Amino acid sequence: MHADRLTESLCHHAEGPYWSEAWGGLRWVDMLAGDMMHLGTDGTARRLPTPSPVVACVRPAADGGAVLALEKGFGLEDADGSIRALPPLWDEDVRMNEGAIAPDGSFLCGSMVYDQRPGAAAMWRLMPDGTTTRQFGDLTISNGLAFTADGTRAFYVDTPTGRVDLFDWSDADGLVERRPFADLSGEDGSPDGLCLDAEGRVWVAMFGGSQVLGLDERGGVAERITVGARQVTACTFGGEDRGTLFITTSRENLADGDDPAAGSLFSVRPGVVGPAEENLFGESDETDADG
């Protein structure tokens, strides 16, 4: 199965695609430009600048806005489109990288050190009341995170491990009981972003491998989607029927003219659909996140 190229090479480092009716379709980020991207119904893309030099992840909020992971912490988009950064969480040479909305309406995002120093990154949690906690550390390049529909488990990638891992979820304690789910170290590329389909199966972008892998319930490779760019960063299901898999790619660290389609958005219809429901930030009773 082969993905189709939807756009030109619009982004330097495209990441974090997510479909939501709340913002009328697909958003993703041009991470190191500090811009969100929006795909219109006519197929054109536009940029939405943020107040940060880096925007790592954006997810919908119950109030009609969105929650963002910025370079040094979190930010909020109001329903009118205005964006404000919450107080920074650190001064070190570290940035946020990838995250997801948890079943309780909190937002989790993992970080990475710019020099990719092993074990120096962490997982952070933003509650709907604006409080933040450092969940755990000893991470390196925190990447894909997705929760199962029943809210009991989450799939996760720390890229240098070469694995997809599985966590249990507790509203009180967060992500607990980490264990391996799929060893992908023998595959072309390294695991990056991931998403789940409606049956709870994992689809994982393989950075450097020109592919997205569909995994079965035991972690075996059941499907391969080839992508016309090497540095495949993330994927998500969307479209009116949630049957389209949107795929982001990067041209970070590539020479001019190398991999001409890098930085483009791709799509494919793999014959399955994504989850019908979304976790929204702040869907608990506590919706004020003034920080």
Side-chain angles (χ1 to χ4, degrees), residues 30-36 48-56 68-75 83-85 95 114:
D30 191 355
M31 182 182 284
L32 303 178
D35 292 340
M36 293 186 292
L48 306 170
T50 75
S52 171
V54 170
V55 57
L68 299 88
L70 305 175
E71 183 181 34
K72 304 292 186 183
F74 297 106
I83 300 171
R84 57 193 171 97
R95 66 169 169 83
Y114 278 98

Side-chain angles (χ1 to χ4, degrees), residues 62-63 76 84 127-130 281-290:
D63 64 3
L76 297 173
R84 57 193 171 97
M127 300 300 292
D129 66 359
F281 176 71
E283 61 185 358
S284 67
D285 291 335
E286 298 176 11
T287 56
D288 182 19
D290 290 332

Side-chain angles (χ1 to χ4, degrees), residues 237-251:
F237 282 96
E240 290 186 3
D241 63 355
R242 297 210 170 247
T244 299
L245 188 68
F246 293 97
I247 302 163
T248 51
T249 64
S250 171
R251 51 189 170 93

Side-chain angles (χ1 to χ4, degrees), residues 30 37 40 42 46 56 62 66 68 79 81 102 112 132 147 166 183 186 195 201 209 212 224 240 248 257 259 270 281:
D30 191 355
M37 308 293 295
D42 61 355
R46 62 188 176 98
L68 299 88
M112 64 171 286
T132 56
F147 289 86
L166 190 60
D183 183 354
C195 66
R201 291 171 297 232
V212 173
R224 295 179 189 272
E240 290 186 3
T248 51
D259 200 0
F281 176 71

Side-chain angles (χ1 to χ4, degrees), residues 142-266:
S142 190
N143 257 311
L145 178 65
F147 289 86
T148 58
D150 63 6
T152 62
R153 298 176 300 156
F155 293 91
Y156 172 71
V157 166
D158 186 3
T159 293
T161 68
R163 301 191 312 260
V164 176
D165 287 345
L166 190 60
F167 281 96
D168 292 332
W169 171 256
S170 160
D171 286 355
D173 300 322
L175 298 169
V176 296
E177 301 296 329
R178 181 179 178 180
R179 65 270 191 192
F181 171 71
D183 183 354
L184 303 177
S185 58
E187 294 289 336
D188 289 339
S190 301
D192 198 323
L194 59 77
C195 66
L196 305 183
D197 64 27
E199 301 302 318
R201 291 171 297 232
V202 178
W203 298 78
V204 56
M206 298 296 288
F207 189 89
S210 301
Q211 62 178 339
V212 173
L213 301 179
L215 308 182
D216 63 25
E217 62 275 8
R218 295 177 300 278
V221 177
E223 299 285 349
R224 295 179 189 272
I225 297 170
T226 60
V227 181
R230 291 196 303 274
Q231 297 185 157
V232 184
T233 56
C235 54
T236 194
F237 282 96
E240 290 186 3
D241 63 355
R242 297 210 170 247
T244 299
L245 188 68
F246 293 97
I247 302 163
T248 51
T249 64
S250 171
R251 51 189 170 93
E252 185 183 15
N253 298 322
L254 296 178
D256 290 344
D258 187 11
D259 200 0
S264 303
L265 181 71
F266 291 79

Side-chain angles (χ1 to χ4, degrees), residues 17 125 146 162:
R125 185 180 184 187

